[in-house]
């Protein structure tokens, strides 16, 4: 299911631990739980039908098999209102029951912002990364969504507005909720909630081009305290470190600033991820590899090496320029 990233890059620990499919059978929030409950109810109903039809079939095969000493013709029946009603009504009622259960769950899950929503996040799918904008706090980050966990007496649902910058994507973090598509020109919504602090993994669930498989999502669910600290940090402008002024100048002179924003500098591009607090993120390239000097250098040097066909161009920078720019990026805590 998941294409292994290019050999030779340090990968996030979850890859080396054989991480692959996030588990739909291990829900960590009310939203994913109701989907799982619906799943088992539907499986249960289908299992009863399978058992009834299967055993009837076996019984009929045994009872009406050809008997060597009997070549008489079986009774010929032309129409039976009772039987026809039965085989029309039984499936009709079953399908209606399934539809009612599914629609009730969908309405429950798609409820407009829960009145207690603790956070709003605008999620924008891009080829091939995720933009996370926190409108109540006025900052934007990428690929790693940080949310506060609910407390036993205080639910903290996070309300997501889903959009797309180019083609259809689908936001899917299986342990927290089902899939919701990000469709160009349209805003969809969903909510997630969990009371278990952990990192939840997800992926784009709608084929969106060559690097669809390398469009991962990390959701870090943290305590309210940690979340508040993180928000305060993200709201601040990028640090301005005089020791890397040469790298900052190179970043601004090259085309980098046309696509990337770094708050507090002239760089306001929106085509690529916001880099204001790049180093607060654990991974780069949408969750593909660890965020460190080695990977940043190789990514800038030859983006196609990591993510073939990606929208980040190879700027053909000289080695010293790449080093200066990476030095600068590494200060963006
Ligand atoms: Cu984005 Cu598939």
């Amino acid at each position: 299911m998941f294409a292994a990233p290019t050999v030779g890059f340090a990968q996030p620990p979850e890859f080396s631990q054989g991480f692959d499919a996030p588990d739909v059978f291990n829900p960590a929030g009310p939203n994913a739980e109701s989907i799982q409950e619906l799943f088992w109810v539907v499986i249960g109903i289908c299992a009863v039908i399978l058992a009834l039809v299967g055993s009837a079939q076996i019984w009929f095969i045994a009872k009406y098999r050809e008997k060597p000493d009997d070549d008489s013709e079986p009774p010929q029946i032309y129409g039976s209102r009772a039987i026809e009603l039965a085989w029309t009504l039984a499936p009709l009622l079953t399908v209606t029951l399934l539809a009612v259960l599914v629609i009730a769950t969908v309405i429950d899950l798609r409820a407009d912002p829960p009145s207690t929503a603790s956070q709003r996040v605008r999620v924008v799918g891009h080829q091939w990364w995720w933009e996370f904008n926190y409108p109540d706090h006025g900052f934007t980050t990428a690929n790693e969504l940080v949310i506060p966990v609910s407390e036993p007496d205080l639910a903290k649902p996070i309300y997501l507005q889903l959009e797309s910058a180019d083609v259809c994507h689908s936001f899917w973090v299986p342990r927290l909720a089902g899939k919701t598509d990000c469709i160009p020109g349209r805003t969809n919504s969903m909510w997630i909630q969990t009371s278990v602090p952990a990192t939840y993994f997800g992926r784009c669930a709608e084929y969106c081009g060559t690097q669809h498989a390398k469009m991962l999502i990390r959701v870090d669910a943290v305590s309210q305290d940690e979340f508040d600290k993180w928000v305060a940090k993200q709201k601040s402008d990028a640090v301005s470190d005089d020791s890397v002024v040469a790298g900052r100048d190179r970043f601004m002179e090259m085309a980098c600033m046309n696509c990337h924003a770094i708050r507090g500098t002239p760089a306001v591009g929106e085509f690529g991820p916001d880099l204001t607090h790049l180093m607060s993120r654990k991974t780069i390239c949408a969750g593909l590899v660890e965020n460190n000097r080695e990977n940043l250098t190789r990514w800038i040097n030859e983006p196609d090496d990591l993510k073939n066909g990606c929208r980040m161009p190879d700027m053909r920078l000289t080695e010293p320029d790449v080093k200066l720019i990476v030095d600068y990026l590494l200060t963006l805590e």
Side-chain angles (χ1 to χ4, degrees):
M1 180 175 173
F2 180 79
T6 314
V7 174
F9 288 90
Q11 292 163 1
E14 57 270 18
F15 289 116
S16 54
Q17 286 161 14
F19 162 84
D20 185 1
D23 195 354
V24 288
F25 296 109
N26 188 12
N31 203 320
E33 269 158 24
S34 47
I35 292 172
Q36 199 199 30
E37 277 160 24
L38 175 67
F39 173 84
W40 287 119
V41 170
V42 170
I43 287 288
I45 292 172
C46 293
V48 169
I49 295 171
L50 178 70
L52 287 176
V53 173
S55 43
Q57 193 173 16
I58 290 166
W59 189 62
F60 284 127
I61 288 172
K63 183 166 182 211
Y64 297 107
R65 70 187 187 282
E66 188 182 27
K67 297 180 182 78
D69 52 349
D70 178 8
D71 57 359
S72 66
E73 203 171 279
Q76 302 297 300
I77 300 168
Y78 299 96
S80 159
R81 182 160 296 170
I83 292 175
E84 281 175 24
L85 270 175
W87 72 44
T88 306
L89 285 180
L92 190 68
L93 291 175
T94 310
V95 171
T96 308
L97 173 66
L98 289 175
V100 167
L101 291 170
V102 170
I103 291 168
T105 306
V106 167
I107 290 174
D108 190 30
L109 298 182
R110 289 291 150 83
D112 268 340
S115 53
T116 52
S118 63
Q119 295 297 327
R120 292 189 301 148
V121 181
R122 194 172 143 252
V123 176
V124 186
H126 292 256
Q127 283 175 318
W128 288 277
W129 59 281
W130 298 94
E131 175 184 341
F132 298 130
N133 170 252
Y134 290 67
D136 301 325
H137 305 296
F139 66 82
T140 298
T141 179
N143 302 319
E144 297 179 10
L145 182 65
V146 180
I147 61 169
V149 290
S150 296
E151 282 145 39
D153 49 352
L154 181 60
K156 293 181 183 172
I158 289 84
Y159 179 64
L160 307 178
Q161 272 176 264
L162 300 138
E163 297 167 25
S164 167
D166 35 52
V167 300
C168 290
H169 304 271
S170 188
F171 185 88
W172 189 34
V173 184
R175 293 195 62 199
L176 297 181
K179 303 165 185 170
T180 305
D181 282 4
C182 299
I183 299 168
R186 185 193 152 94
T187 302
N188 280 342
S189 59
M190 68 187 286
W191 57 275
I192 53 176
Q193 182 186 317
T194 182
S195 50
V196 187
T199 301
Y200 300 101
F201 299 100
R203 59 186 68 230
C204 180
E206 176 82 40
Y207 181 71
C208 55
T210 52
Q211 292 299 345
H212 156 72
K214 295 179 182 171
M215 190 169 167
L216 310 183
I217 304 162
R218 292 169 71 102
V219 179
D220 279 322
V222 299
S223 69
Q224 186 69 49
D225 262 9
E226 253 179 278
F227 179 76
D228 292 341
K229 272 184 214 147
W230 179 80
V231 166
K233 175 102 182 171
Q234 297 291 319
K235 279 167 85 168
S236 64
D237 279 352
V239 291
S240 172
D241 184 338
D242 286 341
S243 70
V244 291
V245 72
R248 184 165 64 231
D249 289 348
R250 295 309 286 147
F251 186 93
M252 302 304 159
E253 287 156 17
M254 310 304 298
C256 313
M257 62 173 287
N258 295 336
C259 291
H260 294 283
I262 299 180
R263 255 178 300 125
T265 77
V268 291
E270 288 183 345
F271 192 71
D274 185 304
L275 303 179
T276 309
H277 296 286
L278 172 67
M279 296 316 292
S280 71
R281 307 203 279 264
K282 295 176 190 75
T283 58
I284 56 169
C285 312
L288 193 59
V289 292
E290 265 177 37
N291 184 7
N292 58 29
R293 174 183 288 279
E294 189 204 357
N295 287 335
L296 279 169
T297 304
R298 294 176 72 172
W299 173 234
I300 295 170
N301 248 332
E302 203 179 340
D304 271 359
D305 187 18
L306 244 186
K307 237 173 159 170
N308 195 17
C310 74
R311 297 297 164 93
M312 167 127 154
D314 179 353
M315 303 303 295
R316 313 223 170 263
L317 301 175
T318 62
E319 211 175 293
D321 275 350
V322 172
K323 184 175 181 307
L324 286 174
I325 290 174
V326 170
D327 284 344
Y328 170 54
L329 294 178
L330 287 170
T331 67
L332 299 176
E333 295 278 338

